[in-house]
Amino acid sequence: GKLASVELRIGLASRWLRERKEKAGRALLEETVKAASAELAAAPGWEAMQTLRGWARLKLGEVEGARADVEGIKGRARAHRVAAAARLGEAERRRKALRPFADEAEGARREAEASLTAAPNHPEGETLAAAVEVLLAQDDPAGDRAREAEKRLDRVIQRIPHHAEALFHRSRARYLLGECKGARADLDAALQWAMPGLRAARHMRAIVNYTMGKYKEAADESRELLGDPSAADAKELQELLDQAESKLR
């Protein structure tokens, strides 16, 4: 039916993004949002279709639109996952900008746990819940958040060894725990599967390489990523590149 068609499009677009076919993947997602919007114009309040449109919007980076689509929808695991991912992204942005982020992080946690109530042990829900803990662990290095997140992600990866997002977030947890070799291995594995957040994984690998004293690798990765100087992380990458190059002199 119509829902299956929209879901199929999102799945295909996601695959193209994983395969680094960025232009084709985004174009299909944009078409999918339009198709879902047409259906919702004819049937306002169709929660399942709103959830799928929110999912597509989230993949396009349209966080506010995604949040609006799933706002108030209860008991649908995917709607809660979309809400959790959107709020987690906002919490990450606020923390980076040195703005208060605890409310968004807590909201992301609630939504992730609500998704797991609706669909117990779902790998995406477990990954989102762990990602919130990794975010909070950055400001609580003496606590157990990073280790608990690592254990939760271990279970996801045992079930799905190529789960790129779980590998990425476990790498962040391991880095916080001082386990740089494990973090680097996770990032290499995540990048092998070409996760949609490819740039974030490469940026993290540059940081890990620098921490491990692999300054040339850190500099090379940072330099490549700076091929897009307009990216949001350009300033951080330039600082990392400068530091790595100073070590190589």
Side-chain angles (χ1 to χ4, degrees):
K2 294 175 180 179
L3 290 172
S5 175
V6 170
E7 187 166 2
L8 183 63
R9 291 184 187 187
I10 296 171
L12 179 58
S14 299
R15 191 181 79 189
W16 285 346
L17 290 173
R18 285 194 297 274
E19 294 172 352
R20 308 185 196 185
K21 299 174 183 176
E22 180 77 14
K23 187 175 180 180
R26 289 188 63 84
L28 182 54
L29 286 170
E30 288 165 0
E31 290 175 12
T32 303
V33 169
K34 289 179 182 177
S37 296
E39 295 295 340
L40 287 165
W46 188 359
E47 290 188 351
M49 187 62 74
Q50 280 181 226
T51 298
L52 288 176
R53 185 174 66 177
W55 187 24
R57 282 176 163 169
L58 186 65
K59 288 180 176 292
L60 284 167
E62 299 173 4
V63 176
E64 290 306 314
R67 287 181 71 162
D69 274 338
V70 298
E71 187 74 31
I73 296 178
K74 305 295 182 185
R76 289 186 179 273
R78 180 173 286 151
H80 288 299
R81 290 196 297 271
V82 169
R87 299 197 72 165
L88 175 61
E90 181 60 23
E92 295 268 15
R93 282 186 288 275
R94 290 188 182 191
R95 182 182 182 278
K96 188 175 179 181
L98 303 179
R99 294 167 54 203
F101 68 93
D103 286 350
E104 288 293 342
E106 182 56 35
R109 188 215 306 276
R110 286 197 305 268
E111 294 289 356
E113 295 300 340
S115 80
L116 290 167
T117 298
N121 302 316
H122 192 285
E124 304 302 334
E126 293 286 356
T127 299
L128 282 164
V132 175
E133 294 305 314
V134 172
L135 170 65
L136 295 171
Q138 294 176 71
D139 297 314
D140 184 25
D144 296 327
R145 294 183 188 277
R147 185 65 71 190
E148 290 304 312
E150 182 191 33
K151 290 177 181 177
R152 196 165 201 166
L153 292 162
D154 283 345
R155 293 192 292 270
V156 174
I157 294 164
Q158 285 170 4
R159 292 167 57 196
I160 309 173
H162 59 272
H163 196 300
E165 290 187 2
L167 287 162
F168 171 64
H169 290 299
R170 190 173 69 175
S171 79
R172 297 174 69 198
R174 286 178 163 176
Y175 179 75
L176 291 172
L177 292 165
E179 299 171 4
C180 287
K181 287 185 178 180
R184 170 63 195 259
D186 280 345
L187 289 164
D188 287 344
L191 287 162
Q192 177 184 348
W193 292 100
M195 64 178 292
L198 180 66
R199 184 180 181 90
R202 292 189 64 191
H203 188 164
M204 186 67 199
R205 186 165 65 180
I207 292 170
V208 172
N209 277 331
Y210 181 88
T211 304
M212 295 176 71
K214 297 178 179 292
Y215 303 122
K216 184 178 185 305
E217 289 90 334
D220 289 347
E221 192 109 62
S222 299
R223 196 177 295 110
E224 282 186 34
L225 290 170
L226 281 167
D228 179 6
S230 65
D233 61 354
K235 182 180 178 181
E236 293 174 16
L237 281 165
Q238 187 62 59
E239 291 174 356
L240 181 60
L241 175 59
D242 291 345
Q243 290 169 7
E245 288 183 332
S246 71
K247 295 287 188 180
L248 292 168
R249 293 189 189 114

